[in-house]
């Protein structure tokens, strides 16, 4: 058998396995979210279908698929049906570059646990990891916006249209800080390959979350906005837009929106793990354990997403844009400039210097923003009773 | 003065009289009767010219004296705030007669006159937008007229399927030809009127017309808001109410007083006990009876617990609409404690009808005091937790600060009362201004805000909950012994055990339960401070066992009118926060 066939076979098997794992993340994530949110909100959550309600997402999916697929009379007959796919497919493809484990060696062949990863066969057969790894991922996540906008526009519903409009503006504005925030770790790793970024973190002996804390915060914020999660879930704000761009969708097409949202969330978390939390590496270098470390770190982020959703109110459209353009982007650029300068002039002590600068920067940003909020919100002219008694004296009274 | 009809010529003299009286009888009510030609000038004089400053129009309603010479009687009720003077003007109006509108004097006269037009068919000349407000645009007749058929829907059996089908066809035919805005297009004079035209004009100008509601998760039930948008910025808004109109005022006329009480629960359905209180106080005023102290204290206690419950619903839904879903569930968990208390009291969780004419339905059961004490202990830390979650949360601040500004002048002009008025800085609270029940015995403060935005309304309501806790604590501590209701068995049911031994009790029981009591002729209005503002029941008695007319002064009805003013220039998302801060209950708006 020619080596190329074996290579393709291995890649096919790996693709199917990773794909299946990723797809299982969606129902699991739905279950986790419902359970955690229920816990936060003093409820029980799903507990009827299967042990601990574990089969609830499957029941939900079945229910959705069984439902009638409705197309509104005035909807665009061509675009309306394909819009969910336009969102779903990029969300699925984006997983191709993410490494979930290191180099595996079987006989004389070795390869990384990454769909578009490195492959070494006998007789010098060598397929390198995709060079532009992160760029592909970012490009694919930008494509998702087409699905949302077209879904909103083709539904012939004003709420959907508003949702689509909000979403396009939101996703476009947060692409930039998201990308720029990742450049810091990329500079440190001096490679666009995600595997290299993971290896760089173990070479430095420190996760990039420490020297790149500012980048991490911006990435987290932009990532949340990018995947339309609370508190940035304006495009689908139930209380305002009744679901936004997917108001009119039902049945499997709605399920696709739903899945795409969770897939995107998992992908963004996976990127965060890869870039800031040392990827699949933890404790030992036993390669078959690495996917488990990866999954554990992923859980951390997914929990964070759910936690945020259970705690915070939703921001307003214009405030979201202001946050994106006036805070995140400048901060990300400053962070990038500092990282570049430090790497150019003190490459030996880069980690230490960057840690200190990121602490300084985040302190400035924190106080700056709280000053901004106070300035824009504190208009106390004279003191009303309610204000005099709240909320400081609240502490002393009770 | 009450009996002479004020004509145009008499206005200056009347004003002088009132000004004189105002010196001596501050806080008391003044009753006037005026000619319909004089009403506009009289109102203008009272509001603007005289220094009397009747700046707050509480209500305009009407009574249909079917057999009288001039058939209708309009009732205007106005206050001067903060002085706390009250004035009633009654205006006899014949059928097919027009009355000058007072919308130029108080802005909230707009909807009130529309309601009177809708319900009684009295036309107001010069009104900017006189169309139906609660009934569908193509309803035939005016429901609160005494000669309007009560009507009912037949139950469908196999024998009368044909009749029912034709009835349904008839009903459907009424909605034919209604356009998007709900206005009838063909052959009606109504279609040329202001509201519809306004929105259609915006549509022609290329603004997006967005229909929010009546089936929208954030409109607190069934309010319909029609927004004219430019991008996401609101150019103008128009409100459409009446989707929850259940004709309670008409129904009450068919029931004896005690039965009509149960309808009041269903008006403002998140604070049912307060409605009972208001209604009972009005009826008691006609009857001229005084509830004993224990009854009064228990009423105050229950009313304040209801207020907390109502504010918890407000806080929960308000936060939910701004996106903080968790707060909603926390609030409802706490409200559950209150509902448990009400269930312990009456077996009912919401529509308890426990406050009754003459006192309470029964004395408090065993364990009630313990349950209330438990709540008073559990709730303050929870309130603190809400503050932790929201008060200093940057996103919450950004979403509520500076949103929905309503100036004090506008607030008074629109008849806005309760927390919204207090958030604008006016210290007006019926509990302090005209103490009712036993409120004068209690120590509490009135929280006020200063910025009159959504955030200040939030702070005011949060503080009100704490003040309510204070009142409840005091009421429980000072709860006097004695009767919980009046012992007049012509009005209240005699105790059950006496029926077995006393023939007289049996007769009383029979009479009270079947025909009720017969109050003297007259009318009464008592206002109370509901969770949403000044609420009250206007009751007219003709000497029979049933109320001749029952009308509720709804605070949300007034407040909702100012909503377009609050949202103009804001974003679509802010409509939600503003609606949340108005805290309207459509049950009491539509009644």
């Amino acid at each position: 058998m020619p080596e190329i066939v074996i290579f393709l076979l291995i890649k096919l098997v790996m693709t199917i396995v990773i794909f299946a794992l990723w797809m299982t993340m969606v129902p699991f994530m739905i279950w986790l979210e419902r359970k955690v949110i229920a816990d936060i909100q003093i409820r029980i959550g799903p507990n009827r279908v299967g042990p601990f309600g574990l089969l609830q997402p499957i029941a939900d999916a079945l229910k959705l698929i069984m439902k009638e697929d409705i197309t509104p009379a005035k909807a665009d007959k061509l675009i309306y049906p394909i819009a969910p796919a336009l969102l779903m497919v990029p969300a699925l493809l984006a997983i191709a570059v993410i490494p979930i484990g290191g180099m595996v060696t079987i006989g004389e062949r070795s390869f990384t646990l990454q769909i578009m990863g490195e492959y070494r066969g006998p007789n010098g057969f060598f397929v390198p990891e995709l060079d532009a790894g992160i760029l592909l991922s970012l490009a694919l996540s930008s494509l998702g916006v087409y699905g949302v906008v077209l879904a909103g526009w083709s539904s012939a519903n004003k709420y959907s249209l508003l949702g689509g409009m909000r979403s396009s503006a939101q996703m476009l504005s947060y692409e930039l800080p998201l990308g720029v925030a990742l450049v810091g770790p990329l500079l440190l790793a001096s490679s666009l390959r995600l595997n290299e970024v993971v290896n760089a973190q173990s070479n430095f002996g420190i996760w990039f979350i420490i020297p790149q804390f500012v980048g991490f915060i911006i990435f987290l914020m932009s990532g949340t906005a990018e995947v339309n999660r609370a508190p940035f879930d304006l495009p689908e704000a139930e209380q305002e837009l009744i679901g936004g761009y997917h108001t009119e969708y039902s049945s499997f097409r709605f399920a696709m929106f739903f899945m795409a949202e969770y897939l995107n969330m998992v992908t963004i978390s996976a990127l965060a793990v890869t870039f800031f939390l040392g990827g699949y590496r933890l404790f030992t270098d036993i390669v078959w354990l690495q996917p488990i470390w990866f999954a554990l770190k992923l859980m951390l982020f997914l929990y964070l997403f759910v936690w945020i959703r259970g705690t915070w109110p939703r921001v307003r459209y214009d405030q979201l844009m202001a946050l994106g353009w006036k805070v995140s982007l400048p901060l990300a650029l400053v962070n990038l400039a500092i990282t570049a300068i430090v790497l150019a002039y003190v490459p030996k002590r880069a980690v230490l210097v960057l840690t200190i600068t990121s602490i300084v920067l985040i302190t400035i940003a924190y106080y700056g923003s709280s000053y901004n909020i106070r300035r824009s919100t504190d208009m106390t002219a004279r003191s009303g009773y309610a204000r005099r008694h709240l909320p400081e004296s609240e502490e002393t009274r009770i | 003065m009450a009996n002479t009809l004020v004509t145009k010529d008499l206005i200056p003299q009347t004003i002088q009289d009132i000004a004189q009286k105002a010196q001596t009888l501050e806080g008391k009510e003044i009753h006037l009767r005026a000619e319909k030609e004089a009403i506009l000038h009289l109102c203008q004089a009272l509001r603007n010219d005289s220094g009397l400053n009747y700046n707050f129009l509480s209500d305009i309603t009407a009574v249909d004296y079917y057999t009288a010479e001039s058939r209708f009687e309009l009732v205007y009720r106005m206050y001067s705030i903060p002085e706390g003077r009250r004035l009633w003007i009654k205006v006899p109006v014949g059928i097919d007669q027009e009355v000058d509108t007072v919308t130029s004097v108080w802005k909230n006269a707009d909807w009130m006159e529309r309601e009177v037009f809708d319900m009684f068919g009295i036309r107001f000349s010069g009104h900017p937008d006189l169309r139906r407000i609660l009934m569908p645009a193509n309803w035939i007749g005016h429901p609160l007229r005494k000669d309007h058929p009560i009507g009912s829907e037949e139950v469908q059996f196999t024998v009368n399927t044909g009749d029912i089908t034709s009835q349904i066809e008839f009903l459907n035919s009424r909605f034919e030809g209604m356009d998007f805005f709900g206005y009838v297009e063909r052959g009606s004079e109504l279609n040329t009127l202001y509201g519809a035209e306004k929105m259609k004009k915006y549509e022609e100008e290329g603004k997006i017309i967005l229909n929010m509601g009546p089936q929208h998760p954030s409109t607190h039930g069934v309010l319909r808001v029609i927004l004219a948008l430019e991008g996401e910025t609101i150019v103008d808004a128009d409100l459409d109410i009446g989707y929850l109109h259940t004709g309670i005022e008409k129904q009450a006329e068919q029931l004896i007083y005690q039965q009509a009480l149960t309808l009041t629960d269903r008006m403002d359905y998140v604070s049912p006990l307060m409605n009972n209180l208001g209604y009972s106080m009005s009826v008691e005023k006609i009857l001229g009876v005084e509830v004993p102290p224990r009854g009064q204290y228990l009423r105050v206690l229950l009313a304040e617990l209801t207020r907390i419950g109502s504010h918890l619903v407000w806080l929960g839904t308000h936060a939910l609409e701004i996106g903080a879903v968790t707060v909603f569930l926390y609030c409802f968990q706490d409200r559950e404690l209150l509902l448990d208390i009400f269930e312990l009291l009456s077996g009912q969780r919401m529509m308890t009808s426990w406050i009754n004419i003459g006192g309470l339905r029964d004395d408090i059961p065993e364990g009630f005091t313990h349950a209330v004490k438990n709540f008073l202990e559990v709730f303050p830390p929870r309130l603190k937790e809400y503050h932790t979650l929201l008060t200093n949360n940057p996103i919450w601040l950004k979403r509520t600060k500076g949103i929905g500004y309503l100036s004090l002048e506008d607030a008074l002009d629109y008849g806005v009362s309760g927390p919204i008025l207090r958030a604008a800085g006016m210290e007006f609270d019926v509990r302090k201004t005209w103490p009712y029940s036993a409120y004068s015995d209690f120590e509490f403060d009135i929280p006020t805000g200063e910025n009159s935005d959504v955030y200040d309304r939030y702070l005011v309501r949060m503080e009100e909950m704490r003040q309510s806790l204070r009142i409840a604590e005091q009421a429980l501590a000072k709860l006097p012994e004695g009767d919980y209701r009046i012992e007049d068995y012509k009005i209240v049911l005699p105790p059950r055990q006496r029926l077995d031994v006393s023939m007289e009790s049996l007769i009383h029981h029979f009479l009270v339960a079947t025909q009720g009591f017969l109050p003297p002729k007259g009318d009464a209005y008592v206002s109370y401070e509901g969770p949403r503002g000044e609420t009250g029941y206007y009751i007219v008695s003709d000497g029979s066992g049933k109320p001749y007319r029952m009308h509720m002064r709804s605070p949300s009805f007034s407040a909702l009118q100012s909503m377009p003013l609050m949202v103009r220039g804001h974003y679509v998302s802010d409509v939600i926060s503003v609606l949340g801060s108005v805290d309207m209950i459509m049950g009491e708006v539509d009644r």
Side-chain angles (χ1 to χ4, degrees):
Chain A
M1 216 181 328
E3 186 59 27
I4 181 92
V5 177
I6 296 170
F7 163 73
L8 285 177
L9 269 178
I10 286 176
K11 284 289 171 188
L12 185 68
V13 171
M14 197 196 296
T15 309
I16 289 170
V17 170
I18 291 180
F19 194 78
L21 281 175
W22 227 256
M23 289 302 278
T24 356
M25 283 304 285
V26 173
F28 176 74
M29 186 55 216
I30 293 171
W31 176 83
L32 182 84
E33 169 152 36
R34 290 181 65 170
K35 271 292 188 194
V36 171
I37 282 275
D39 199 35
I40 290 174
Q41 296 174 346
I42 340 171
R43 295 184 284 119
I44 295 169
N47 67 340
R48 295 281 138 170
V49 195
F52 308 107
L54 264 169
L55 298 179
Q56 184 68 44
I58 295 163
D60 284 351
L62 273 178
K63 179 204 73 178
L64 272 175
I65 292 165
M66 300 280 200
K67 281 196 169 179
E68 188 191 350
D69 186 11
I70 299 164
T71 309
K74 286 186 181 171
D76 191 296
K77 291 292 174 297
L78 178 68
I79 295 171
Y80 180 83
I82 62 166
L86 284 180
L87 186 60
M88 179 85 179
V89 171
L92 277 176
L93 289 181
I95 63 177
V97 293
I98 292 164
I100 62 163
M103 189 71 83
V104 179
T105 310
I106 300 171
E108 46 188 341
R109 299 181 178 84
S110 55
F111 50 87
T112 49
L113 293 178
Q114 182 186 14
I115 296 175
M116 289 194 172
E118 202 175 305
Y119 179 86
R120 285 172 199 278
N123 309 325
F125 185 93
F126 176 64
V127 178
E129 187 186 343
L130 184 70
D131 249 348
I134 182 59
L135 290 185
L136 180 77
S137 179
L138 288 179
L140 284 169
S141 76
S142 326
L143 275 180
V145 73
Y146 283 105
V148 172
V149 173
L150 291 176
W153 175 76
S154 67
S155 299
N157 176 329
K158 283 169 188 166
Y159 287 105
S160 299
L161 185 65
L162 280 177
M165 266 161 55
R166 282 181 175 190
S167 167
S168 57
Q170 174 178 338
M171 286 167 119
L172 288 176
S173 350
Y174 276 89
E175 281 292 305
L176 274 169
L178 187 82
V180 176
L182 285 182
V183 180
L186 288 176
L187 281 179
L188 284 171
S190 53
S191 170
L192 284 179
R193 297 176 189 165
L194 271 68
N195 223 349
E196 293 296 312
V197 176
V198 175
N199 290 333
Q201 294 183 62
S202 86
N203 291 343
F204 273 101
I206 194 165
W207 290 351
F208 285 163
I209 183 174
I210 308 232
Q212 284 295 319
F213 192 65
V214 179
F216 172 71
I217 296 290
I218 293 166
F219 179 82
L220 210 59
M221 200 156 74
S222 317
T224 319
E226 183 72 14
V227 299
N228 298 333
R229 288 283 302 183
F232 305 118
D233 55 344
L234 331 173
E236 45 190 300
E238 294 107 355
Q239 291 89 357
E240 294 158 21
L241 298 183
I242 333 174
Y245 56 86
H246 57 57
T247 303
E248 296 289 352
Y249 283 89
S250 59
S251 184
F252 195 64
R253 293 186 206 289
F254 173 74
M256 278 162 90
F257 278 121
F258 210 68
M259 269 153 73
E261 184 190 323
Y262 281 89
L263 274 176
N264 277 329
M265 192 158 73
V266 178
T267 309
I268 284 288
S269 305
L271 282 179
V273 169
T274 310
F275 276 86
F276 296 102
L277 285 194
Y280 47 78
R281 283 181 196 272
L282 192 73
F283 305 133
T284 62
D285 274 346
I286 302 168
V287 76
W288 296 109
L289 279 178
Q290 283 172 344
I292 296 173
W293 305 142
F294 187 79
L296 281 178
K297 291 176 183 176
L298 201 63
M299 288 295 125
L300 206 68
F301 275 96
L302 295 179
Y303 184 84
L304 192 68
F305 275 123
V306 178
W307 189 10
I308 290 173
R309 188 187 145 187
T311 320
W312 279 348
R314 180 182 303 118
V315 301
R316 207 175 58 202
Y317 177 61
D318 60 315
Q319 293 162 355
L320 175 91
M321 301 307 277
L323 191 67
W325 290 104
K326 292 182 189 163
V327 181
S328 299
L329 187 60
L331 209 56
L333 286 171
V334 167
N335 181 50
L336 173 60
I338 289 175
T339 312
I341 290 167
V342 168
L343 278 175
Y345 291 98
V346 276
K348 296 246 167 69
R349 294 177 178 276
V351 170
L352 182 69
V353 178
L354 279 176
T355 309
I356 294 163
T357 50
S358 72
I359 289 168
V360 172
L361 207 57
I362 209 75
T363 318
I364 293 171
Y366 175 76
Y367 281 102
S369 68
S370 60
Y371 167 74
N372 187 30
I373 288 165
R374 232 179 291 132
R375 198 193 52 184
S376 64
T377 56
D378 206 39
M379 297 176 281
T380 43
R382 64 204 162 82
S383 207
Y385 184 91
R387 184 169 303 283
R388 261 184 283 125
H389 285 69
L390 293 172
E392 284 80 10
S393 66
E394 189 68 24
E395 308 286 329
T396 53
R397 202 190 92 92
I398 301 165
Chain B
M1 197 160 62
N3 293 320
T4 51
L5 215 55
V6 179
T7 57
K8 255 186 183 172
D9 309 330
L10 282 175
I11 290 175
Q13 201 205 325
T14 317
I15 296 290
Q16 273 183 5
D17 279 1
I18 298 171
Q20 254 177 13
K21 281 196 173 182
Q23 302 291 322
T24 51
L25 293 166
E26 202 169 343
K28 292 271 171 160
E29 291 181 11
I30 297 171
H31 292 246
L32 288 181
R33 284 174 69 79
E35 231 178 19
K36 72 178 178 57
E37 286 81 10
I39 184 69
L40 179 59
H41 294 284
L42 183 59
C43 287
Q44 273 169 351
L46 286 168
R47 166 84 209 261
N48 304 322
D49 308 345
S50 57
L52 283 169
N53 193 26
Y54 281 97
N55 52 2
F56 186 95
L57 177 71
S58 171
D59 204 4
I60 300 176
T61 187
V63 189
D64 178 11
Y65 293 107
Y66 187 46
T67 49
E69 193 182 333
S70 58
R71 181 168 165 177
F72 302 107
E73 191 178 73
L74 279 171
V75 183
Y76 294 75
R77 198 171 48 250
M78 59 207 71
Y79 308 145
S80 68
I81 289 175
E83 291 88 351
R85 290 191 299 267
R86 288 183 271 196
L87 181 77
W88 296 34
I89 305 176
K90 290 182 180 168
V91 182
V93 185
I95 196 159
D96 294 333
Q97 282 184 332
E98 291 204 356
V99 187
D100 287 332
T101 174
V102 292
T103 38
S104 56
V105 188
W106 301 281
K107 283 178 190 147
N108 64 333
D110 183 347
W111 278 20
M112 288 168 177
E113 289 179 345
R114 274 175 68 187
E115 192 195 334
V116 170
F117 161 71
D118 192 1
M119 292 294 154
F120 293 92
I122 301 171
R123 288 182 169 272
F124 292 88
S125 52
H127 190 284
D129 188 19
L130 195 68
R131 57 190 154 108
R132 286 191 184 275
I133 185 163
L134 296 179
M135 306 302 287
N138 45 3
W139 187 263
I140 298 160
H142 299 281
L144 277 179
R145 284 187 176 183
K146 286 286 175 183
D147 54 358
H148 190 82
I150 296 165
S152 60
E153 211 167 283
E154 247 181 283
V155 184
Q156 187 169 6
F157 298 106
T158 36
V159 288
N160 60 2
T161 310
D163 298 345
I164 298 275
T165 317
S166 65
Q167 265 182 27
I168 291 167
E169 271 165 18
F170 168 69
L171 285 174
N172 285 341
S173 72
R174 291 179 136 194
F175 292 95
E176 266 171 32
M178 271 169 86
D179 70 348
F180 173 78
F181 299 104
Y183 305 108
V184 190
E185 281 187 76
R186 22 139 229 204
S188 166
E189 55 176 309
L190 290 165
N191 67 339
T192 56
L193 290 168
Y194 170 75
E197 286 300 299
K198 192 174 68 172
M199 280 298 154
K200 276 179 185 158
K201 208 181 84 219
Y202 283 126
E203 200 176 25
E204 280 157 20
E205 280 173 15
K207 308 271 188 286
I208 303 176
I209 303 291
L210 186 70
N211 184 42
M212 204 180 233
Q215 287 159 2
H216 185 283
S218 296
T219 52
H220 290 226
V222 280
L223 170 69
R224 181 173 174 219
V225 186
I226 305 167
L227 297 168
L229 302 179
E230 204 171 290
E232 279 216 34
T233 313
I234 293 152
V235 181
D236 208 345
D238 193 22
L239 298 176
D240 188 6
I241 63 168
Y243 290 92
L244 209 58
H245 178 63
T246 37
I248 288 180
E249 292 180 7
K250 182 81 176 171
Q251 282 182 59
E253 293 172 8
Q254 326 300 327
L255 301 171
I256 65 172
Y257 283 96
Q258 291 96 325
Q259 290 171 326
L261 177 92
T262 58
L263 294 177
T264 61
D265 284 311
R266 282 135 183 101
M267 287 194 180
D268 181 354
Y269 42 71
V270 298
S271 59
L273 276 158
M274 287 229 193
N275 297 341
N276 297 160
L277 177 64
Y279 175 81
S280 304
M281 285 193 302
S282 288
V283 178
E284 283 155 13
K285 196 173 175 189
I286 296 183
L287 286 166
V289 295
E290 187 78 26
V291 178
R294 186 179 171 84
Q296 301 280 26
Y297 271 62
L298 283 173
R299 280 178 168 196
V300 169
L301 174 63
L302 290 174
E304 291 309 319
L305 291 181
T306 313
R307 188 189 311 279
I308 295 174
S310 170
H311 280 359
L312 279 174
V313 175
W314 156 77
L315 178 63
T317 50
H318 191 31
L320 172 75
E321 285 156 11
I322 296 185
V325 187
T326 306
V327 180
F328 173 73
L329 285 137
Y330 284 10
C331 287
F332 268 63
Q333 200 204 19
D334 284 353
R335 181 167 172 261
E336 202 65 18
L337 291 174
L338 286 169
L339 292 182
D340 284 347
I341 291 175
F342 296 146
E343 193 181 350
L344 175 73
L345 197 65
S346 64
Q348 256 279 22
R349 282 157 58 82
M350 279 177 78
M351 311 300 175
T352 55
S353 300
W354 197 252
I355 294 177
N356 211 330
I357 299 159
L360 302 172
R361 182 140 295 182
D362 205 342
D363 208 347
I364 46 173
E366 209 177 310
F368 175 80
T369 331
H370 179 76
V372 175
K373 269 187 186 146
N374 176 43
F375 177 77
L376 295 178
E377 217 166 86
V378 168
F379 189 61
R382 303 281 304 185
L383 199 57
K384 194 183 162 195
E385 198 173 339
Y386 300 140
H387 277 302
T388 325
L389 274 170
L390 297 175
T391 306
N392 281 329
N393 184 323
I395 300 178
W396 180 261
L397 283 168
K398 284 236 165 197
R399 285 299 304 274
T400 54
K401 272 284 205 177
I403 308 294
Y405 174 73
L406 186 70
S407 71
L408 183 58
E409 291 71 36
D410 279 333
L412 288 168
D413 224 16
Y414 275 99
V416 173
S417 53
I420 309 176
L421 185 62
R422 287 195 283 274
M426 176 62 81
E427 209 172 301
F428 171 67
D429 189 317
V430 182
R431 290 176 293 178
K432 286 269 191 204
T433 316
W434 308 300
Y436 55 92
S437 206
Y439 273 106
S440 43
D441 299 357
F442 295 99
E443 213 178 278
F444 60 98
D445 297 304
I446 306 170
T448 54
E450 69 245 15
N451 298 326
S452 192
D453 54 6
V454 175
Y455 185 67
D456 272 24
R457 284 165 214 152
Y458 157 78
L459 284 185
V460 164
R461 287 202 178 94
M462 293 293 273
E463 178 61 20
E464 268 184 41
M465 280 199 257
R466 232 180 63 190
Q467 298 299 335
S468 291
L469 282 175
R470 271 179 77 188
I471 299 175
E473 266 167 30
Q474 292 173 47
L476 207 58
K478 295 199 286 188
L479 191 62
E481 293 296 317
D483 289 333
Y484 60 91
R485 60 172 188 179
I486 53 169
E487 292 301 316
D488 181 348
Y489 298 130
K490 285 189 161 56
I491 295 170
V492 296
L493 287 176
R496 177 66 189 81
Q497 62 271 23
R498 285 188 53 177
L499 298 193
D500 304 334
V501 291
S502 152
M503 186 64 205
E504 199 191 359
S505 291
L506 198 60
I507 295 169
H508 280 315
H509 189 278
F510 180 73
L511 282 179
V512 171
T514 52
Q515 78 171 58
F517 47 81
L518 306 177
K521 274 189 183 182
D523 59 351
Y525 174 84
V526 179
S527 60
Y528 65 94
E529 184 69 27
R532 273 152 272 283
E534 189 235 343
T535 324
Y537 284 85
Y538 177 59
I539 288 164
V540 181
S541 155
D542 63 345
S544 73
K546 296 171 180 176
Y548 187 75
R549 167 112 173 85
M550 188 257 265
H551 173 71
M552 181 203 199
R553 193 269 167 185
S554 154
S556 308
F557 188 76
S558 285
L560 211 48
Q561 286 185 70
S562 62
M563 187 244 163
L565 205 66
M566 291 193 244
V567 298
R568 254 172 234 156
H570 286 307
Y571 293 95
V572 177
S573 319
D574 296 329
V575 176
I576 310 302
S577 7
V578 168
L579 279 178
S581 79
V582 170
D583 183 27
M584 71 285 175
I585 295 298
M586 293 316 286
E588 67 156 346
V589 175
D590 296 344
R591 286 153 290 159

